[in-house]
Amino acid sequence: MATPFPIQSSRCWVDRVKAATEAGQFLERLTPMLDDRDLLLVDQRGTGQSGALRCHFFSTDDPAENLQNLFPPVRVGNCAKDLATRADLTQYSYQRFVDDLEKVRQILGYGPLNLFAGSYGTRAAQVFVRAYPGSVRSIYLGSVDPIDIAMPLPFAKAAQLALERTFAACEADAACQSAFPHVRDEFSQIMELLATGRVSVKVPGHGGRVALSQGRVAEWFRSLLYRPSSAARLPWLIDRASKGDWDLIVKGILEDARDADHDLSLGLLLSITCSDDLPFVREEEVAAAVRNTFLGDWRLRQQEAACKLWPHTTASASSREPIHTQVPTIFVAGDSDGGTPLWFTEHTAPGFQNRIVVIMNNRGHTEWEPCVETLYRRFLNQGSVQGLDASLCSHLSRPPFKTE
């Protein structure tokens, strides 16, 4: 029987938890490779039509909630109570998912799988190869998430590095430098103003004005820094805000919050992270992890507060031990990824003794380019990293900045 790909699909770890049946981008990437193999799509429990753990954190009646919080406490508590009437929220873990996937493989009669994973899905792939090494032929890890690093502790430093790279790229670009010659100063000014709590904004369709939180803006900026294509808007947005125009930032925050409610299983996000990550964040590490960053500890504290309201267990310490395997593995990372920086790959890769590491210049989180497709097609066909050119994606140019 043909060898399948299973997909654990996600755009941004702990930001995107989607079902395999919604993995259109992966279908586009892999369809050209399906002449002699199957594509196996499996909804992770808690997504899609497999008992999706939907939460509604977006408020149409009180937009201030979404301009102040990523995880509005009242809505988190209400969702936990509602979902607990039909599901044991402590039973949604990486280990449960990989056990489900192995059962699907056995029932369908497939041999070893070609795992194709991106972002948070790379955690599941790591757990799978440790639990069922004989069930894996090859592994693709795009924007890998280390299994032994507690998220979201590194988010602040990763975002700060990506912001500095964005500013440096703007300064080196004639059009961006001409349009925004003082973007660093403007950024400092707007963040300081937000910190005073005196920024109030209008929300379309609602009367009066509402307060805009510094942390909420910083978290939204962080999301733009996942990829240079979206980070290219930042200097323009910062400049507009420095002139008193916050409308585009407000619109972006609210649209993303609304889309997350519609597209994502946010309850699954909390079930996983509250058990597998937050319990392993050590308070004595926090100050150093957030020092001199624009995000600070805001995202971490938001997630900690949500987890206090969410039923969860604590994963075993052994479940977080780094993976060691001989299964052929291709790592693909972008050098401008504000979500899973290059040091994530450098930290994880040594445990994969039979590997190739491909760094895409001027690309970010889980991106896909023709050079990656060329490498992966060959890797997949031969089931080996031998002869692959890791430098094939080193020529990519940064997307142009928005200047008007």
Side-chain angles (χ1 to χ4, degrees):
M1 183 172 285
T3 303
F5 305 92
I7 290 180
Q8 300 93 27
S9 67
S10 138
R11 279 174 47 199
C12 305
W13 188 95
V14 302
D15 286 308
R16 299 291 185 263
V17 183
K18 288 194 171 186
T21 48
E22 299 168 5
Q25 61 176 308
F26 293 97
L27 289 171
E28 293 176 5
R29 295 175 181 183
L30 300 177
T31 294
M33 306 174 201
L34 300 180
D35 288 344
D36 58 353
R37 51 179 59 87
D38 296 340
L39 179 62
L40 174 61
L41 299 172
V42 180
D43 276 356
Q44 182 174 355
R45 62 167 70 186
T47 70
Q49 297 183 44
S50 298
L53 302 181
R54 299 284 189 188
C55 287
H56 300 290
F57 294 161
F58 179 76
S59 172
T60 56
D61 298 326
D62 185 8
E65 280 190 336
N66 297 112
L67 296 178
Q68 292 289 325
N69 293 291
L70 183 64
F71 302 110
V74 172
R75 291 179 174 272
V76 170
N78 289 341
C79 185
K81 292 176 183 177
D82 177 61
L83 292 176
T85 63
R86 62 176 177 83
D88 181 350
L89 298 177
T90 68
Q91 298 302 308
Y92 294 81
S93 65
Y94 293 111
Q95 189 60 52
R96 292 291 190 186
F97 175 38
V98 304
D99 291 344
D100 293 344
L101 182 57
E102 174 62 8
K103 290 177 182 176
V104 170
R105 185 195 69 82
Q106 292 177 2
I107 290 171
L108 293 179
Y110 285 120
L113 306 174
N114 295 298
L115 296 179
F116 188 96
S119 193
Y120 104 99
T122 65
R123 279 268 189 99
Q126 292 171 76
V127 175
F128 189 89
V129 74
R130 177 167 59 199
Y132 303 105
S135 298
V136 185
R137 174 180 180 263
S138 71
I139 310 173
Y140 175 97
L141 298 176
S143 301
V144 71
D145 176 26
I147 201 168
D148 57 332
I149 302 295
M151 305 298 167
L153 188 60
F155 281 13
K157 290 286 190 184
Q160 187 66 38
L161 177 60
L163 181 71
E164 295 296 336
R165 289 181 63 98
T166 300
F167 287 159
C170 178
E171 291 161 353
D173 180 271
C176 189
Q177 169 66 11
S178 176
F180 314 113
H182 308 296
V183 66
R184 291 179 188 267
D185 291 338
E186 289 177 345
F187 179 75
S188 296
Q189 290 165 9
I190 68 170
M191 296 307 285
E192 289 170 5
L193 180 59
L194 285 164
T196 68
R198 297 200 303 266
V199 177
S200 61
V201 296
K202 292 182 179 179
V203 178
H206 295 270
R209 302 179 72 87
V210 298
L212 184 60
S213 157
Q214 181 201 48
R216 191 66 185 90
V217 172
E219 171 62 18
W220 187 66
F221 281 174
R222 187 188 76 84
S223 72
L224 296 182
L225 289 164
Y226 269 63
R227 297 188 176 103
S229 56
S230 51
R233 298 174 58 209
L234 264 178
W236 176 68
L237 290 166
I238 291 166
D239 185 67
R240 294 284 293 266
S242 73
K243 295 176 171 61
D245 182 1
W246 297 91
D247 289 352
L248 290 169
I249 291 174
V250 170
K251 180 181 178 183
I253 291 172
L254 295 179
E255 285 183 349
D256 281 1
R258 185 185 300 112
D259 290 346
D261 266 15
H262 180 266
D263 295 340
L264 312 178
S265 293
L266 293 170
L268 177 61
L269 179 155
L270 291 176
S271 284
I272 289 179
T273 60
C274 293
S275 297
D276 287 73
D277 283 282
L278 271 295
F280 298 92
V281 173
R282 293 185 294 191
E283 187 60 32
E284 61 269 25
E285 297 177 334
V286 174
V290 305
R291 187 177 297 125
N292 299 323
T293 67
F294 72 89
L295 182 64
D297 67 353
W298 190 85
R299 170 59 188 265
L300 172 64
R301 302 310 184 194
Q302 283 273 310
Q303 210 150 336
E304 285 179 336
C307 288
K308 289 179 181 178
L309 302 170
W310 200 263
H312 62 276
T313 59
T314 297
S316 67
S318 62
S319 70
R320 300 179 56 79
E321 293 177 357
I323 306 301
H324 297 277
T325 180
Q326 290 287 342
V327 173
T329 303
I330 181 169
F331 287 83
V332 176
D335 68 0
S336 301
D337 185 345
T340 54
L342 285 183
W343 75 263
F344 280 17
T345 297
E346 294 166 355
H347 178 86
T348 306
F352 292 74
Q353 289 83 17
N354 190 5
R355 69 181 182 273
I356 182 174
V357 177
V358 179
I359 306 300
M360 294 187 290
N361 281 10
N362 295 305
R363 291 296 182 269
H365 197 70
T366 62
E367 297 206 72
W368 185 262
E369 294 288 337
C371 57
V372 176
E373 180 175 341
T374 296
L375 285 168
Y376 185 59
R377 186 192 294 265
R378 184 174 176 186
F379 170 74
L380 190 65
N381 287 338
Q382 66 188 30
S384 166
V385 300
Q386 297 301 313
L388 299 183
D389 182 2
S391 68
L392 198 59
C393 296
S394 61
H395 65 286
L396 304 175
S397 300
R398 190 178 181 95
F401 283 93
K402 179 175 177 57
T403 56
E404 58 182 9

